[in-house]
């Protein structure tokens, strides 16, 4: 066997073990008994120890040096393996294992504190997680910016300064649009009523099917915080149910189908290699957001959904499909990021981005985080947070150490804006299919132009190739202004 063959065989096993570790995380958030938290923390720590040892094996460096790639895919795989090898080698095994153990425990502590509205029960644990993440960042940054080092895990090549500049460019138009919409004379009617869980889940499955979810390689379960998990031949989704708000369940499902379909849509030849997963979280979010918003919240698909919901719930308090479209896209003040409308969603992300940068930089102490959150929310959204579960405790991300993850949500929206513009030009009759509950023309275009490539290109390069334009917030902002100007008769 050549050096390249040895390396790829070794990497194949590492990728398989990483997938097993991911499945442990899925199990913990869905069906694991609550009393098994400490055991699972030890299991996760043990898996991370094995993975860290493999990812820093000195033979990887030797194989990389001796390997001669024969194809574009092999060249890119070597680049990604080398990047991961150099990065992981900077992190002590002790730290990697402790991070896995602490974040596994922290997730359960966060969930308990959130259920009890008791931030004081979680903040000491969050402080431990933050200290470990700062230590990790210092190992990776090599004297550079700590936040940039963590952000690179989720969006390679991106920096906090670049994100801040992007957000500064977006914020004025988003705020102006929000203020105009909230002050408009025309306001959509809210959906009211009781919507039983089982009926919601049946509709959620129908929506997932409409967006092409492959049930032979996936499943749907309930979770506190919706997520997707897995790749290659097994990518699962989760959703949550609020019996007074079916949109929460239905659009969380479509969102996660976007994530999962990306993983399932990658060229099978890339399985068990670094190319066999989404290239970045920003690109991942572009898929979930374009499924959920540009296709799922458009007038065509909401017309189909209106008929299905009317039948399933024996009528709705909304008069017709046009009014229902406005209701689905209703802009209202709210505390919860995952329930935010398209106009305000990015403003939620901008707030979290600033707070977590300050936490990593040491400008904000964990003890002061609830107060800082509440003050910033009041300033940005004009409302006082009513309870911690609707404020600082609402997101799982910091409990599991995902510092640097939040900005990729907004970056994904920017990417989705570019992709949607290209999709609409390439598939002009897309709405005809969506009106019949069939997103296939859109999902197939995305699979062919973006998803199948996996990690073959850098994130921005992939989006620019698929959309045939430079990455810019302009398509997203134009789309939002046109859509909501019409809905609200501005």
């Amino acid at each position: 066997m050549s050096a390249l063959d040895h390396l790829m065989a070794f990497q194949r096993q590492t990728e398989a073990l990483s997938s097993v570790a991911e499945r442990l995380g899925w199990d913990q958030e869905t069906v694991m008994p609550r009393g098994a938290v400490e055991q699972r923390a030890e299991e996760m720590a043990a898996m991370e120890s094995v993975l860290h040892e493999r990812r820093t094996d000195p033979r990887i460096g030797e194989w990389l040096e001796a390997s001669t790639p024969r194809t574009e895919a092999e060249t890119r795989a070597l680049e990604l393996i080398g990047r991961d090898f150099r990065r992981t080698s900077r992190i002590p095994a002790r730290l990697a294992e402790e991070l896995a153990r602490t974040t596994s425990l922290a997730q359960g502590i966060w969930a308990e504190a959130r259920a009890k509205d008791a931030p004081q029960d979680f903040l000491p644990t969050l402080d431990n997680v933050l200290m470990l993440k700062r230590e990790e960042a210092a190992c990776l940054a090599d004297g550079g910016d700590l936040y940039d080092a963590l952000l690179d895990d989720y969006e390679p090549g991106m920096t906090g300064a670049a994100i801040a500049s992007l957000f500064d460019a977006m914020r004025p138009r988003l705020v102006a649009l929000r203020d105009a919409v909230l002050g408009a004379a025309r306001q959509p009617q809210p959906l009211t009523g009781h919507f039983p869980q089982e009926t919601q889940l049946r509709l959620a499955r129908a929506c997932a099917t409409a967006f092409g979810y492959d049930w032979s390689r996936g499943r749907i379960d309930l979770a506190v915080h919706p997520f997707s998990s897995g790749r290659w031949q097994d990518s699962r989704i989760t959703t949550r149910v609020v019996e007074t708000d079916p949109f929460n369940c239905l659009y969380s499902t479509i969102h996660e189908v976007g994530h999962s379909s990306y993983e399932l849509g990658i060229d099978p030849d890339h399985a068990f290699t670094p190319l066999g997963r989404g290239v970045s979280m920003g690109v991942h979010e572009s898929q979930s957001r374009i499924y959920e918003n540009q296709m799922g919240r458009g007038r065509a698909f909401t017309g189909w959904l209106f008929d299905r919901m009317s039948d399933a719930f024996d009528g709705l308090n909304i008069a017709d499909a046009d009014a229902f479209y406005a209701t689905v896209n209703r802009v209202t003040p709210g505390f919860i990021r995952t329930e935010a409308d398209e106009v305000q969603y990015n403003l939620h992300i901008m707030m979290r981005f600033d707070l977590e940068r300050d936490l990593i930089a040491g400008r904000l102490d964990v003890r002061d985080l609830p107060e800082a959150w509440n003050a910033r929310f009041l300033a940005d959204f004009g409302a006082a947070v009513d309870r911690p579960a609707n404020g600082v405790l609402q997101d799982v991300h910091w409990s599991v150490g995902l510092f640097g993850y939040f900005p990729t949500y907004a970056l994904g929206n920017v990417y989705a804006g570019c992709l949607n513009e290209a999709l609409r030009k390439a598939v002009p009759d897309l709405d005809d299919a969506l009106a019949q509950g069939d997103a296939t023309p859109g999902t197939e275009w995305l699979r062919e132009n973006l998803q199948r490539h996996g990690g073959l290109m850098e994130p921005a390069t992939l989006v620019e190739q698929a959309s045939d334009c430079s990455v810019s917030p302009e398509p997203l902002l134009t789309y939002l202004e046109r859509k909501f100007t019409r809905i609200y008769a501005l």
Side-chain angles (χ1 to χ4, degrees), residues 211 251 254-255 285-302 325 329 342 346 410 412-424 430-431 434 439 442 446 473 475-480 483-484:
F211 278 85
Y251 282 99
I254 296 172
H255 181 100
E285 286 301 324
S286 78
Q287 300 308 283
S288 61
R289 301 302 280 182
I290 198 171
Y291 276 51
E292 175 191 358
N293 291 330
Q294 281 92 339
M295 289 193 284
R297 294 185 192 271
R299 172 61 182 84
F301 185 77
T302 59
Y325 167 59
N329 291 284
E342 287 184 85
N346 292 304
N413 280 329
V414 170
Y415 289 161
C418 298
L419 293 167
N420 181 60
E421 191 172 77
L423 169 60
R424 295 291 173 166
L430 173 59
D431 280 343
L434 287 169
L446 289 166
L476 172 66
L477 295 171
T478 299
Y479 152 79
L480 291 173
K483 176 176 181 176
F484 288 92

Side-chain angles (χ1 to χ4, degrees), residues 70-294:
R70 297 156 293 200
T71 65
E72 177 189 7
E74 288 178 348
T75 299
R76 176 63 171 168
L78 291 177
E79 179 185 345
L80 293 176
I81 292 170
R83 180 188 293 176
D84 185 62
F85 174 65
R86 292 186 294 273
R87 187 173 176 82
T88 309
S89 295
R90 294 176 177 176
I91 302 171
R94 166 203 58 80
L95 176 58
E97 186 175 340
E98 185 58 26
L99 264 168
R101 179 183 293 108
T102 300
T103 53
S104 183
L105 287 170
Q107 184 177 343
I109 294 169
W110 162 79
E112 293 278 347
R114 184 177 184 271
K116 295 190 297 183
D117 266 322
Q120 68 275 8
D121 292 352
F122 173 60
L123 292 181
T125 300
L126 178 59
D127 197 44
N128 290 338
V129 172
L130 179 61
M131 293 304 104
L132 291 170
K133 292 302 292 185
R134 281 179 179 161
E135 184 180 351
E136 179 188 43
C139 293
L140 296 170
D142 195 26
D145 186 87
L146 297 184
Y147 188 79
D148 287 353
L150 298 177
L151 177 60
D152 199 61
D153 262 341
Y154 310 107
E155 199 65 26
M158 186 58 67
T159 66
I163 292 286
S165 179
L166 175 67
F167 288 175
D168 287 345
M170 294 171 65
R171 193 190 315 269
R173 286 171 68 177
L174 290 173
V175 170
L177 180 59
R178 179 190 65 184
D179 291 349
V181 163
L182 292 178
R186 176 192 292 178
Q187 292 292 325
Q189 184 178 357
L191 181 67
T192 59
H194 177 254
F195 306 92
Q197 175 170 305
E198 285 308 312
T199 307
Q200 287 195 43
L201 290 175
R202 283 198 300 272
L203 280 169
R205 293 185 185 98
C207 287
T209 299
F211 278 85
Y213 188 51
D214 185 349
W215 293 106
S216 71
R217 297 187 289 162
R219 55 178 289 139
I220 186 170
D221 294 273
L222 293 173
V224 174
H225 193 108
F227 69 100
S228 67
S229 175
R231 62 192 86 153
W232 308 321
Q233 296 177 351
D234 181 353
S235 183
R236 310 172 188 191
I237 62 174
T238 65
T239 191
R240 64 181 171 198
V241 173
V242 178
E243 294 200 335
T244 57
D245 179 15
F247 295 150
N248 196 315
C249 173
L250 300 180
Y251 282 99
S252 290
T253 299
I254 296 172
H255 181 100
E256 299 307 334
V257 165
H259 280 303
S260 196
S261 294
Y262 182 10
E263 294 293 340
L264 295 175
I266 294 171
D267 187 333
D269 289 344
H270 296 331
F272 297 101
T273 78
L275 307 183
R277 52 180 177 263
V279 68
S280 76
M281 287 315 304
V283 176
H284 240 299
E285 286 301 324
S286 78
Q287 300 308 283
S288 61
R289 301 302 280 182
I290 198 171
Y291 276 51
E292 175 191 358
N293 291 330
Q294 281 92 339

Side-chain angles (χ1 to χ4, degrees), residues 12 105 108 263 322 349 371 389 428 439:
R12 183 179 181 86
L105 287 170
E263 294 293 340
D322 286 330
I349 297 304
E371 182 180 350

